[in-house]
Amino acid sequence: MAGVLQGVTVIELAGIGPGPFCGMMLADHGARVIRVERPGHAGRFGDAGNRDILNRNREVIELDLKDPAAIETLKDMAKSADALIEGYRPGVLERLGLGPDVLLGVNPKLVIGRMTGWGQQGPMAPLAGHDINYIALSGALHSYGRKGEKPSFPVNAVGDFGGGGMMLAFGVVSAILLARSGGVGQVVDCAMVDGAAILSAMTYTFLGNGQWRDERGVNLLDSGTHFYDTYETSDGKWISLGSIEPQFYALLLEKTGLTGDPDFAQQMNPAKWDELKERMTALILTKTRDEWCSIMDGTDICFAPVLSLKEAPQHPHNVARGTFVEDGGMVQPAPAPRFSATPAPAPKLAGR
């Protein structure tokens, strides 16, 4: 298989959510990822079976890790692997007889990626949780939502995938680079609460510099302003505006017929934001989404229509870039990012 990670071998102990996402990221870019499933579970993830996009591009084997013979098989696999990733609660790997001391004993260069919600240590480490809980404890969830309303979680993108699986993929590749350049193997302790916190680094920058009020929906990037928000159109669809910089804001005023309005000239006056948002809301409601596209597309307003999951793969920009691909009747996001010399191969669903 081609790809920037060609020649890297990763053992993935099957799990759900962020672990498989990490495995997908590595496999998409050429790593040989061997997914270890319980007997009878290969290709049966939830209701998706082999149509689970997160499980694409894998080799799959079945091992009963309660069987000592299977444990020995896994140890043998680890001898020639670059990494092993797992998403068990802390202590489970050790109880199976596959703790870091054992695995590093058979392969001192092995990278052991451990994906949890709360981390390997800390008072909450042994407890269950989900994305919504991890982003809540990190402070991130507090900043998502509208003024005066309850926190609004962005499905499970921030904890499971951005702060979890993506962070684990970064950690594993980084540790492999060190091991291959003369260093040693090690454990990568990837906690979704840590990942969600670091994804909020810029928000904490604003807060620490007095540029962010510690409440929802009143700040520059959290729907507090009239120039960075989503707006409903007359046909019940939506558009997005992100006209922060003065030159982009000037274009927004031009295209909406508001140039010269003394109130809208006060772009960065928080005392005016609520009033201006009401006026912008009423104005955007006067046209359909397509009509606004015809006015704002191709400009530097920082504009895009809010597309549904079914619409997004058909947008001309996404089509031109190949942002979405199809395999086995499943439309799915293409591997990302793009590499000029070692492009990722076309993804294949499990079992294909």
Side-chain angles (χ1 to χ4, degrees):
M1 176 181 281
V4 71
L5 293 178
Q6 187 173 23
V8 171
T9 299
V10 178
I11 301 167
E12 174 192 357
L13 302 186
I16 60 173
F21 183 82
C22 172
M24 182 194 77
M25 290 296 299
L26 301 174
D28 276 358
H29 294 289
R32 180 190 181 197
V33 180
I34 307 167
R35 183 173 168 90
V36 179
E37 292 272 10
R38 289 179 294 166
H41 281 72
R44 287 178 51 198
F45 175 77
D47 294 326
N50 285 334
R51 289 170 60 81
D52 185 353
I53 294 167
L54 297 183
N55 288 343
R56 69 190 183 190
N57 296 334
R58 307 289 213 286
E59 297 176 36
V60 180
I61 66 170
E62 294 186 348
L63 288 177
D64 180 1
L65 296 183
K66 296 180 180 179
D67 181 348
I71 295 297
E72 293 305 314
T73 298
L74 197 62
K75 289 180 186 177
D76 286 340
M77 293 170 59
K79 291 177 182 178
S80 59
D82 293 283
L84 178 145
I85 59 175
E86 57 97 357
Y88 301 143
R89 289 200 204 191
V92 171
L93 200 65
E94 287 82 353
R95 290 194 292 274
L96 289 171
L98 293 168
D101 55 338
V102 174
L103 292 171
L104 290 171
V106 300
N107 181 358
K109 295 283 189 179
L110 187 69
V111 173
I112 304 164
R114 311 194 75 173
M115 181 77 262
T116 61
W118 306 117
Q120 296 297 313
Q121 295 87 31
M124 298 183 69
L127 303 180
H130 276 297
D131 178 294
I132 192 171
N133 312 122
Y134 312 136
I135 68 174
L137 204 71
S138 73
L141 182 55
H142 174 75
S143 63
Y144 305 153
R146 296 190 173 275
K147 181 179 180 181
E149 297 183 9
K150 66 180 184 179
S152 179
F153 49 94
V155 289
N156 61 333
V158 174
D160 280 350
F161 301 126
M166 190 76 74
M167 209 66 67
L168 181 61
F170 168 76
V172 165
V173 170
S174 298
I176 290 173
L177 284 173
L178 177 65
R180 287 191 167 191
S181 63
V184 296
Q186 60 184 303
V187 173
V188 179
D189 177 0
C190 185
M192 285 176 264
V193 65
D194 298 346
I198 203 166
L199 289 175
S200 303
M202 189 172 74
T203 308
Y204 276 100
T205 293
F206 290 152
L207 181 68
N209 286 297
Q211 299 169 311
W212 191 275
R213 291 164 57 187
D214 197 14
E215 55 185 287
R216 282 182 298 284
V218 297
N219 298 288
L220 181 67
L221 301 176
D222 65 355
S223 79
T225 75
H226 58 288
F227 52 85
Y228 197 96
D229 205 348
T230 56
Y231 289 95
E232 188 175 9
T233 56
S234 63
D235 52 349
K237 297 181 181 180
W238 296 79
I239 63 169
S240 67
L241 298 175
S243 313
I244 299 175
E245 291 80 0
Q247 66 273 30
F248 305 151
Y249 185 69
L251 274 174
L252 173 65
L253 298 187
E254 175 188 332
K255 296 297 183 178
T256 52
L258 294 168
T259 301
D261 187 298
D263 290 326
F264 276 94
Q266 301 180 61
Q267 179 189 6
M268 291 298 178
N269 181 1
K272 301 290 291 184
W273 285 349
D274 285 349
E275 172 195 340
L276 298 180
K277 188 185 291 285
E278 288 183 10
R279 290 184 58 189
M280 185 66 74
T281 297
L283 176 60
I284 300 301
L285 270 171
T286 63
K287 299 182 187 298
T288 67
R289 189 182 71 180
D290 286 349
E291 287 174 326
W292 284 117
C293 285
S294 68
I295 293 170
M296 297 185 177
D297 271 348
T299 75
D300 277 345
I301 285 175
C302 300
F303 160 86
V306 178
L307 302 180
S308 73
L309 296 176
K310 291 183 177 180
E311 290 176 317
Q314 307 304 319
H315 189 276
H317 183 78
N318 293 334
V319 171
R321 285 189 56 80
T323 301
F324 295 89
V325 295
E326 184 272 338
D327 180 59
M330 286 282 288
V331 174
Q332 53 197 285
R338 312 290 179 88
F339 293 88
S340 62
T342 53
K348 293 293 181 185
L349 290 174
R352 288 178 56 80

